[in-house]
Amino acid sequence: MSTECLMICAIDLGTSYSGYAFAPRKNLTNNGCDIYASHWESDLLSHKTPTAILLDPIMNFQAFGHEANKKFAKLTEDENHADWFYFKDFKMDLYEKDLTERTMIQDIHGKYASALKIFAECLKFLRGHFLDMLQGRNMGILDEFIFYVVTVPAIWSDAAKQFMKEAAVMAGMCRQRLELALEPEAAALYCKRLTQDRTVEKDEPPEFVVDRPYVVADLGGGTSDITVQKVSATGKFQNLYKASGGPWGGNKVNKCFLELFVKLFGDSLFHEFCEKNMDDFFELLQNIEIKKRLISGDKNDTISLDIPDSLMDLYKNSLETAIKNAKLHETVKARKKKRINISFSYFQDHFKEICGKTVNLVKTIIHESVQCQQLKTLIMVGGFSESKMVQSIFRESFPGYDVKIPLDAGLAVLKGAVIFGYDSSVIQTRICPYTYGIAVLKRFNPHLHDKSKSFLEDGQWRADDCFEKFFEVDEPLAIGTKRSISVNISHVGEDRQRDRREHKEIEVFSSSLRSPLYTTDPECRSHGMISVYPPEGEWPVYVRGRVEIEVTGTDCFSISYIDEITQQTTSGIIDFLKKNT
């Protein structure tokens, strides 16, 4: 429990950049917001470091972040990198992927490694960096008095959230002192404690009027994560619309920069530059990240970018020649021998296309949801929200709306996650993303059931694979919400006696429909597995009772079995990484 801990540490393993934030519990009482962020030497974006990890040929961890980039660049320069594992921008591998504990991911040269190991090693490093920092400051706080929070996108699947939690446990975090925080929710908690001096242009901080909805747009490197919330009269946060979004993060703009270099110097030459001069390539990526945030909506604005010496040495021609051959003379100008100025017009369409998907989604949610009729506030957070161009696009797209941006938008999620760790009960309800249920037999109804699902059992016609739901898509689920599944099993007969000591498994299905008929419908998929263990080590001959599913947190369902006859209770688990495929 976080109430027994002296320190709260939130860790964000981001698509492009990672870091952590922390605060002693006493800093968070009485709506305090004195939260500290990690600091990384040699990084221009000093509160976060690149999400890059380097492992040696036998899969031992060697470096993370800026240090991983430097070491791998040196290995490449010396042509000793072939057997090493270097992973970068791999977080998106968890997005819309059918995950298991055995899922593999590829490094930048196509070599496979366990995804769980890679994520665990990253989290282990970040946790270790935090603990080393505490020790360096002589703060005298033992790990057993630290509560950890790991941030995840709200749009992630249940399996991806469980995967991240398992990785955190593998990284050394105690499961009892660990919680996941949904990124837009965390950002809203931070924004509620904002003062005027912590908003862009010292604008008035967001006004959280009781029962008035607002949108949180968390624009990160990989994804755009949208939630609609309100604050109740009790001060609790309630979600009003299921988390939505897509792969529309700021990395898409970085890709536009790189495509510009391919147009100027050719695909093969630029690829050769990246392979042979990786240290220069990493420095170029860092500069692109910084320049991206400076692009404004001013039509006369230009972005100045230095071309690495090693790239020009490979090209063996002038910048003017490169611009002329690429037919980019109207938008790109050579300045000095190794610098280009890129006009606003080159990026305008790219930004509008990328941001347009998020803008259109937010507009759809506002116009289609009855809950959003009084909505007038849009809160922008995440590193991509720090881009002046992005801010301009959103303000132009939502005239009449109050668009609010914290000064440190890229740290809002991390700092909010610390607040969430202090009191996670502040999030009262979330919206169910799917309809959850199990497959059951029902009495065959010719007016309802498909004939192909019918079969005769003990003189009674029954329907197979019927979807028995326990949670419904778009349903508000408060912490503590409970639903039950009836269980009736007979262990009569010698062949069934051994089953009395085995745990029972119930397959969980999900659907985008409110009331699916069958678990075999096209909209349904295997979602996970409930496992329930026998009370006192053995099931009774006749099992008559119910499996109870309780919502207990961001990523948690508590599972228990209650026997109808004896009232004995035994615990169980729901595993979203274990599915029948």
Side-chain angles (χ1 to χ4, degrees):
M1 295 291 291
S2 70
T3 53
E4 299 168 358
C5 293
L6 302 175
M7 179 76 73
I8 297 160
C9 175
I11 297 176
D12 176 23
L13 183 62
T15 303
S16 302
Y17 289 87
S18 298
Y20 58 84
F22 60 97
R25 279 193 62 83
K26 60 184 178 61
N27 287 21
L28 302 170
T29 58
N30 301 319
N31 286 322
C33 201
D34 198 0
I35 301 168
Y36 311 103
S38 54
H39 182 78
W40 307 89
E41 293 181 5
S42 303
D43 276 307
L44 295 174
L45 303 168
S46 62
H47 290 303
K48 291 193 176 182
T49 195
T51 303
I53 183 172
L54 179 66
L55 284 75
D56 67 20
I58 57 173
M59 298 295 291
N60 290 322
F61 173 86
Q62 292 298 318
F64 183 84
H66 198 68
E67 193 64 26
N69 288 347
K70 286 197 297 183
K71 285 190 175 183
F72 189 66
K74 184 67 169 65
L75 287 166
T76 304
E77 183 182 335
D78 297 339
E79 298 184 354
N80 291 325
H81 65 289
D83 296 327
W84 289 63
F85 293 82
Y86 174 78
F87 293 86
K88 184 176 176 62
D89 296 340
F90 51 86
K91 185 178 177 181
M92 289 298 289
D93 286 337
L94 299 195
Y95 178 69
E96 289 190 339
K97 194 168 188 174
D98 196 13
L99 290 169
T100 71
E101 291 182 344
R102 297 182 297 278
T103 294
M104 307 291 282
I105 57 175
Q106 290 177 284
D107 77 348
I108 64 167
H109 289 124
K111 298 189 294 295
Y112 282 94
S114 161
L116 197 57
K117 176 179 174 59
I118 298 304
F119 278 80
E121 291 286 3
C122 294
L123 293 170
K124 182 179 180 180
F125 170 83
L126 291 166
R127 171 176 171 264
H129 192 279
F130 164 66
L131 292 175
D132 289 345
M133 179 277 305
L134 287 185
Q135 187 174 8
R137 295 186 183 186
N138 296 316
M139 297 188 73
I141 297 178
L142 300 176
D143 186 58
E144 62 194 84
F145 296 108
I146 300 170
F147 189 86
Y148 290 95
V149 181
V150 176
T151 66
V152 293
I155 57 174
W156 267 13
S157 67
D158 291 317
K161 293 169 186 172
Q162 181 183 334
F163 183 97
M164 188 63 94
K165 194 162 194 176
E166 294 304 320
V169 172
M170 279 183 63
M173 299 177 214
C174 174
R175 195 180 294 272
Q176 286 70 40
R177 290 183 283 106
L178 170 66
E179 193 146 16
L180 298 185
L182 303 184
E183 292 168 357
E185 288 183 356
L189 296 181
Y190 174 67
C191 291
K192 191 171 186 290
R193 298 192 180 197
L194 279 180
T195 52
Q196 189 170 351
D197 62 331
R198 294 187 180 183
T199 57
V200 169
E201 298 174 355
K202 294 194 175 179
D203 190 12
E204 288 292 330
E207 187 179 4
F208 290 83
V209 179
V210 171
D211 289 336
R212 183 179 295 173
Y214 56 89
V215 169
V216 177
D218 177 20
L219 311 181
T223 58
S224 171
D225 214 5
I226 310 299
T227 57
V228 181
Q229 304 166 351
K230 71 175 183 179
V231 177
S232 70
T234 61
K236 303 286 187 180
F237 286 70
Q238 298 177 347
N239 285 276
L240 304 177
Y241 195 90
K242 66 182 177 183
S244 307
W248 314 316
N251 283 358
K252 299 282 188 182
V253 175
N254 298 32
K255 188 178 178 182
C256 294
F257 271 96
L258 297 179
E259 287 171 352
L260 171 61
F261 278 82
V262 170
K263 290 177 183 177
L264 286 170
F265 302 105
D267 190 17
S268 60
L269 188 141
F270 188 66
H271 181 74
E272 183 183 356
F273 157 73
C274 297
E275 286 290 321
K276 291 184 175 180
N277 304 279
M278 201 155 281
D279 52 346
D280 289 341
F281 175 58
F282 289 144
E283 186 175 349
L284 176 63
L285 289 178
Q286 182 110 331
N287 290 335
I288 285 172
E289 185 68 29
I290 293 167
K291 298 292 185 181
K292 174 182 74 178
R293 302 181 189 211
L294 298 177
I295 300 172
S296 70
D298 186 346
K299 294 180 180 179
N300 298 316
D301 193 17
T302 59
I303 287 295
S304 176
L305 197 61
D306 290 330
I307 309 299
D309 289 343
S310 54
L311 178 54
M312 291 305 299
D313 291 343
L314 283 172
Y315 184 58
K316 301 185 188 321
N317 276 306
S318 67
L319 275 176
E320 288 84 358
T321 301
I323 293 167
K324 181 180 178 181
N325 292 343
K327 298 179 181 179
L328 291 169
H329 54 277
E330 292 185 2
T331 54
V332 181
K333 305 294 182 186
R335 291 290 180 265
K336 301 181 180 180
K337 291 184 178 180
K338 298 174 183 176
R339 179 176 295 174
I340 56 175
N341 281 1
I342 312 163
S343 72
F344 160 85
S345 59
Y346 181 83
F347 294 104
Q348 184 179 23
D349 291 341
H350 293 300
F351 268 92
K352 285 187 175 179
E353 180 185 355
I354 295 162
C355 294
K357 294 176 181 178
T358 304
V359 166
N360 290 338
L361 174 61
V362 173
K363 286 182 175 180
T364 299
I365 292 171
I366 291 173
H367 294 146
E368 290 185 356
S369 175
V370 176
Q371 303 271 25
C372 297
Q373 289 180 353
Q374 295 181 324
L375 194 150
K376 287 297 177 185
T377 301
L378 171 61
I379 301 171
M380 296 174 61
V381 297
F384 197 30
S385 292
E386 294 182 354
S387 162
K388 295 181 184 299
M389 176 77 89
V390 173
Q391 295 172 9
S392 175
I393 289 171
F394 271 77
R395 286 195 165 109
E396 289 174 5
S397 301
F398 295 94
Y401 286 80
D402 204 6
V403 179
K404 299 292 187 180
I405 310 155
L407 195 59
D408 48 357
L411 293 175
V413 167
L414 261 179
K415 292 186 174 183
V418 174
I419 298 169
F420 179 77
Y422 171 73
D423 179 16
S424 61
S425 69
V426 73
I427 306 295
Q428 189 173 36
T429 60
R430 296 182 177 92
I431 303 301
C432 194
Y434 318 101
T435 295
Y436 295 89
I438 62 170
V440 298
L441 298 177
K442 290 187 177 181
R443 179 174 294 183
F444 180 74
N445 182 342
H447 302 293
L448 176 64
H449 296 128
D450 193 299
K451 192 173 182 180
S452 65
K453 294 291 183 182
S454 64
F455 69 98
L456 192 63
E457 181 184 60
D458 298 331
Q460 179 72 53
W461 283 99
R462 302 193 182 278
D464 201 4
D465 299 322
C466 294
F467 196 111
E468 181 76 7
K469 66 182 176 183
F470 50 85
F471 294 127
E472 187 176 289
V473 64
D474 294 330
E475 175 187 2
L477 294 179
I479 303 298
T481 300
K482 295 180 182 179
R483 300 290 158 75
S484 297
I485 301 168
S486 295
V487 178
N488 293 281
I489 302 171
S490 170
H491 292 109
V492 174
E494 288 187 19
D495 57 331
R496 296 185 180 181
Q497 285 300 306
R498 70 186 65 166
D499 294 343
R500 294 179 61 188
R501 290 179 291 276
E502 302 291 332
H503 70 272
K504 306 297 182 186
E505 289 189 339
I506 306 171
E507 188 171 7
V508 177
F509 295 87
S510 63
S511 173
S512 57
L513 303 179
R514 288 186 181 278
S515 299
L517 275 177
Y518 305 106
T519 57
T520 54
D521 287 348
E523 299 85 2
C524 297
R525 59 187 296 270
S526 178
H527 199 85
M529 195 75 71
I530 291 174
S531 297
V532 184
Y533 299 91
E536 298 183 358
E538 188 174 59
W539 296 101
V541 175
Y542 293 101
V543 176
R544 299 287 185 272
R546 67 184 187 276
V547 173
E548 198 166 76
I549 304 113
E550 179 181 359
V551 180
T552 56
T554 305
D555 60 311
C556 302
F557 292 95
S558 170
I559 306 296
S560 56
Y561 168 76
I562 298 96
D563 191 89
E564 186 179 286
I565 299 171
T566 66
Q567 294 302 303
Q568 280 184 315
T569 299
T570 184
S571 63
I573 59 171
I574 184 166
D575 188 348
F576 296 115
L577 293 173
K578 184 178 182 180
K579 298 179 280 288
N580 287 334
T581 55

